Amino acid sequence: MDPKPPSPPHVLIFPCPAQGHVNSMLKLTELLLPAGLHITFLISAKDHDRLSRFTTVHSRLSSYPGFRFHVIHGLYEGPIDTDEKLSLMLIDSLPKVTTPLLRMLLLDSQVTCFIADGILGFSLDAAAGTGVPVMFFRTISACAFWAYFCIPDLINSGDLPFQGTNLDERIVNVKGMEGFLRRRDLPSFCRSGLSNTTFQEVSSITRRTPDAHALILNTFEDLEGPILSHIQKHCPNNNIYTIGPLHAHLKARSISKSTSSNSLFQEDRTCIGWLDQHAPKSVLYVSFGSIATLTRDQLIEFWHGLVNSEKPFLWVIREDLVSSLDDENKVPSELEKGTKERGYLVGWAPQEDVLTHSAVGAFLTHNGWNSTLESIVEGVPMVSWPFFADQQPNSRFVEAVWKLGLDMKDTCDRRIVEKIVKEVMEVRKEEFEESARRMAKLAKESVSSGGSSYRNLDRLIEDIKMMTAQSN
């Protein structure tokens, strides 16, 4: 009698239920499935419903019999923004609701490997004693991860908490960033006291990374090689797999010939037709991502700056982008006139397609990591205005290290917005476009056959398969 063939590797994937996390971990899923891996993807009921309504993800993944969504009920499903209390309501509900579920799945489902969002440190505790290796996937950049990792060192050196109010003071105790890192470039929660809950949780969770079997990052070696070498020194027992940019990797392997949107918002594709009417590299694309909120005053300052720059602009204004906006706070007539002449507003845009469009000449961005990578791959220079967390170090690297644009963090003044937009799109246009072209080339080479990210994904898949062989 022929021996029973070994079961295919079964991977459990668990993202933090937020747009940027779900998006990138679904892309990881799409890269792993063609290798014959079976995947169970844990997702909140709210996010599952939004994916069903706004994307083609179900039809894209239905061709893989080894894939299934496991919908989690009972999580906090209210609004999530930069308000720490709202974010903590979600974070607090996650371990309470999901730890028993994780234990059940890891013990009963013949799971080969558990790829957990690295911000969910309790996943290590849930997997303890099950014999299932845990891999951390971090949805942030390597430079932001390293800044998080170094927080205890900054406390020991006296850099944290800040003494005084000078945010331009240099931080010299983050290895690899000594020459350019300022206080204002540390993750935003570093500006709070040491008792700040987010500050404590993010620092302690990141320091648990060496306890995981591996670390997977959505980045590539030519972009963040020097920082990756520092991470490797402090995580010597981890396998580190840099396999990004994930969205470009999907296209390079012909897994997704077109954009594979995983948006939790309904995309307004009419903006593509509007872009078609404009000259190459003439339009400024503006989006602050899925979470951040503006005050009305900030909105108006940005709006004046955009109109006064005299550049055509495509602006994503989510319905929940602006706090405290009512009928009495109407938009000034000069802004309405300028927008009618040169602007186009949408509630949500098909961002990958927008950045690919020849009309887009620059991206005014919050520098969330997905947005930053999408801009890098398409060779679009950036104007950076980060809000919180990893976005602060990302924006500093955009200007000071990668030379892909200008960082105007911590300012919101119409004159500065106008000046920086013109600086990127006129005064230093050729300089930034050349840097952006060079980095885009390196990004695409990394995910092409033989490139570093391509090889690392192959290595990740083989390592997961080896786990199955060892467990059989």
Side-chain angles (χ1 to χ4, degrees):
M1 188 180 213
D2 292 334
K4 181 182 177 181
S7 301
H10 182 188
V11 183
L12 184 66
I13 295 184
F14 183 25
C16 179
Q19 164 80 34
H21 298 250
V22 172
N23 176 28
S24 54
M25 293 190 80
L26 273 173
K27 284 180 163 54
L28 170 65
T29 298
E30 289 192 74
L31 283 168
L32 296 177
L33 282 169
L37 278 59
H38 286 194
I39 292 177
T40 297
F41 193 97
L42 294 175
I43 190 166
S44 73
K46 177 183 177 182
D47 291 348
H48 185 257
D49 175 64
R50 284 177 168 268
L51 285 173
S52 300
R53 286 191 287 145
F54 302 142
T55 77
T56 61
V57 68
H58 283 281
S59 61
R60 294 202 312 269
L61 299 180
S62 62
S63 61
Y64 299 102
F67 175 82
R68 71 182 180 108
F69 280 116
H70 188 111
V71 179
I72 307 171
H73 298 277
L75 293 176
Y76 167 75
E77 294 190 346
I80 297 294
D81 57 25
T82 51
D83 184 326
E84 183 180 313
K85 291 180 181 177
L86 296 177
S87 300
L88 287 175
M89 287 175 71
L90 171 63
I91 297 299
D92 286 346
S93 73
L94 277 165
K96 295 173 186 174
V97 173
T98 61
T99 296
L101 170 64
L102 289 172
R103 294 286 299 176
M104 180 191 74
L105 291 170
L106 292 170
L107 288 168
D108 297 345
S109 299
Q110 301 291 310
V111 172
T112 305
C113 153
F114 179 20
I115 300 180
D117 194 318
I119 201 65
L120 305 178
F122 67 88
S123 298
L124 284 171
D125 303 319
T130 66
V132 177
V134 179
M135 295 184 171
F136 271 173
F137 179 97
R138 290 308 295 257
T139 59
I140 56 177
S141 61
C143 60
F145 174 88
W146 181 234
Y148 288 5
F149 195 93
C150 290
I151 285 173
D153 300 327
L154 295 179
I155 295 172
N156 291 335
S157 66
D159 289 295
L160 293 175
F162 294 157
Q163 304 297 319
T165 59
N166 179 16
L167 291 178
D168 286 318
E169 186 169 320
R170 191 63 58 84
I171 299 291
V172 297
N173 289 301
V174 178
K175 298 297 183 185
M177 303 185 193
E178 303 94 334
F180 56 86
L181 194 72
R182 306 161 299 181
R183 285 178 170 179
R184 71 174 72 252
D185 305 316
L186 289 172
S188 57
F189 46 75
C190 290
R191 302 181 189 187
S192 307
L194 300 188
S195 60
N196 176 277
T197 306
T198 303
F199 177 91
Q200 291 178 337
E201 291 210 358
V202 170
S203 173
S204 62
I205 287 168
T206 303
R207 276 289 171 130
R208 295 193 69 184
T209 302
D211 297 333
H213 176 80
L215 173 63
I216 305 169
L217 291 166
N218 182 15
T219 190
F220 58 102
E221 291 175 7
D222 280 324
L223 184 69
E224 299 194 272
I227 297 301
L228 289 165
S229 65
H230 287 288
I231 295 172
Q232 185 69 69
K233 289 174 188 174
H234 287 263
C235 302
N237 297 322
N238 284 107
N239 294 304
I240 297 179
Y241 305 90
T242 54
I243 60 173
L246 289 174
H247 71 289
H249 208 151
L250 279 168
K251 293 175 183 175
R253 290 189 182 241
S254 299
I255 295 168
S256 175
K257 292 183 173 62
S258 60
T259 301
S260 53
S261 172
N262 300 318
S263 175
L264 301 180
F265 299 85
Q266 186 164 15
E267 296 173 342
D268 183 345
R269 297 195 62 84
T270 62
C271 61
I272 301 298
W274 181 82
L275 288 171
D276 289 341
Q277 302 168 29
H278 289 81
K281 300 189 182 301
S282 64
V283 175
L284 175 69
Y285 171 55
V286 185
S287 176
F288 298 123
S290 60
I291 292 178
T293 57
L294 298 176
T295 64
R296 182 186 183 276
D297 287 344
Q298 288 173 324
L299 175 81
I300 295 302
E301 288 300 308
F302 267 111
W303 211 327
H304 274 289
L306 295 176
V307 168
N308 294 343
S309 74
E310 299 186 339
K311 302 296 178 190
F313 61 92
L314 167 60
W315 192 359
V316 174
I317 301 185
R318 301 186 329 266
E319 62 178 16
D320 61 345
L321 176 66
V322 183
S323 56
S324 305
L325 189 64
D326 55 44
D327 291 338
E328 295 181 5
N329 295 322
K330 292 186 177 178
V331 175
S333 58
E334 65 269 26
L335 298 184
E336 288 188 338
K337 180 175 181 291
T339 302
K340 188 174 181 180
E341 292 174 353
R342 290 186 297 280
Y344 197 81
L345 310 182
V346 294
W348 195 250
Q351 183 161 288
E352 286 184 45
D353 290 340
V354 167
L355 290 169
T356 303
H357 201 286
S358 61
V360 174
F363 182 11
L364 201 170
T365 173
H366 65 309
N367 278 131
W369 190 232
N370 288 332
S371 291
T372 302
L373 280 178
E374 288 161 13
S375 199
I376 286 172
V377 168
E378 299 307 331
V380 177
M382 286 171 266
V383 175
S384 300
W385 201 68
F387 287 85
F388 69 114
D390 61 309
Q391 298 162 18
Q392 269 79 15
N394 291 348
S395 65
R396 185 56 171 164
F397 270 70
V398 164
E399 175 177 315
V401 180
W402 303 323
K403 313 295 185 185
L404 299 176
L406 295 176
D407 181 5
M408 59 179 187
K409 65 164 62 83
D410 298 321
T411 61
C412 189
D413 178 279
R414 64 190 67 180
R415 292 177 295 274
I416 293 175
V417 173
E418 176 189 353
K419 178 179 182 296
I420 296 296
V421 168
K422 287 182 174 178
E423 189 83 8
V424 171
M425 297 188 74
E426 288 180 15
V427 180
R428 300 173 64 183
K429 176 183 171 73
E430 291 184 6
E431 170 192 343
F432 289 125
E433 285 183 354
E434 175 57 31
S435 293
R437 275 194 300 271
R438 184 168 59 251
M439 192 60 78
K441 182 174 182 287
L442 293 173
K444 289 168 183 172
E445 286 175 352
S446 74
V447 295
S448 299
S449 180
S452 60
S453 293
Y454 195 101
R455 296 194 311 272
N456 286 336
L457 178 64
D458 286 346
R459 183 167 59 89
L460 172 62
I461 291 168
E462 288 306 310
D463 288 352
I464 293 173
K465 290 180 176 179
M466 284 290 293
M467 294 174 190
T468 306
Q470 291 166 3
S471 63
N472 285 332

